[in-house]
Amino acid sequence: MHAKVVRRGAERTIGLVFEPGEEPIAALERYAEEQAPEPSRFAATGALEEVELGYFDRQRQAYREIAIRERVEVVALVGDIDANRTQPRVHAHVVFERRDGSICGGHLLRARVCPTLDLVLIESHQDDGDASSPR
């Protein structure tokens, strides 16, 4: 994964480009651990394969995993990073298009990038309440 800060200020914007075969959720969690970002939100487009979706089962209080074993085009991938924990936690939802044009989506548990995924991470600056102070 390649990362580049594209904007600084009250909110810092970082462009992330994932390599083929990378697992985006795990890579994003590693990035968050290494860079110690503020709470952040993100959006991405690209393509994935070997997707594992999760549908939250309220009775079991656990995700029911749904395997998608084909290459898919990401229509929308959005989420956030909760950095107010001992370890950052990525929470992501994805909507993608299958080969036949049908749409599917859910909580993104795991996937592999194929061939690329471009993500924009917007890091919210938390300080004494002065949103105008640059970082």
Side-chain angles (χ1 to χ4, degrees):
M1 174 179 64
H2 303 284
K4 180 180 179 182
V5 175
V6 294
R7 183 173 173 259
R8 296 182 191 276
E11 293 187 322
R12 187 169 73 146
T13 303
I14 304 156
L16 302 170
V17 179
F18 294 85
E19 299 291 329
E22 266 190 292
E23 204 293 307
I25 299 299
L28 198 51
E29 286 176 343
R30 279 192 308 276
Y31 177 83
E33 287 173 17
E34 293 168 6
Q35 300 300 317
E38 301 284 339
S40 307
R41 63 191 185 279
F42 58 84
T45 59
L48 301 170
E49 64 184 2
E50 303 298 320
V51 178
E52 293 286 334
L53 297 177
Y55 180 82
F56 193 72
D57 183 331
R58 288 181 53 189
Q59 288 181 333
R60 293 185 331 150
Q61 291 295 299
Y63 285 102
R64 182 173 57 94
E65 293 189 14
I66 304 162
I68 308 296
R69 300 293 179 227
E70 63 184 271
R71 185 180 170 280
V72 296
E73 295 287 328
V74 175
V75 174
L77 171 56
V78 296
D80 58 39
I81 299 175
D82 182 354
N84 295 320
R85 300 169 162 253
T86 54
Q87 283 194 304
R89 180 179 161 272
V90 173
H91 182 210
H93 286 255
V94 65
V95 176
F96 56 80
E97 178 185 18
R98 295 174 127 167
R99 182 174 298 133
D100 66 1
S102 63
I103 300 294
C104 188
H107 182 91
L108 182 61
L109 301 175
R110 286 173 293 287
R112 285 190 335 196
V113 172
C114 176
T116 189
L117 185 72
D118 299 328
L119 185 141
V120 176
L121 179 69
I122 300 171
E123 184 180 288
S124 300
H125 182 58
Q126 293 185 341
D127 59 7
D128 60 3
D130 181 9
S132 65
S133 63
R135 281 189 76 184

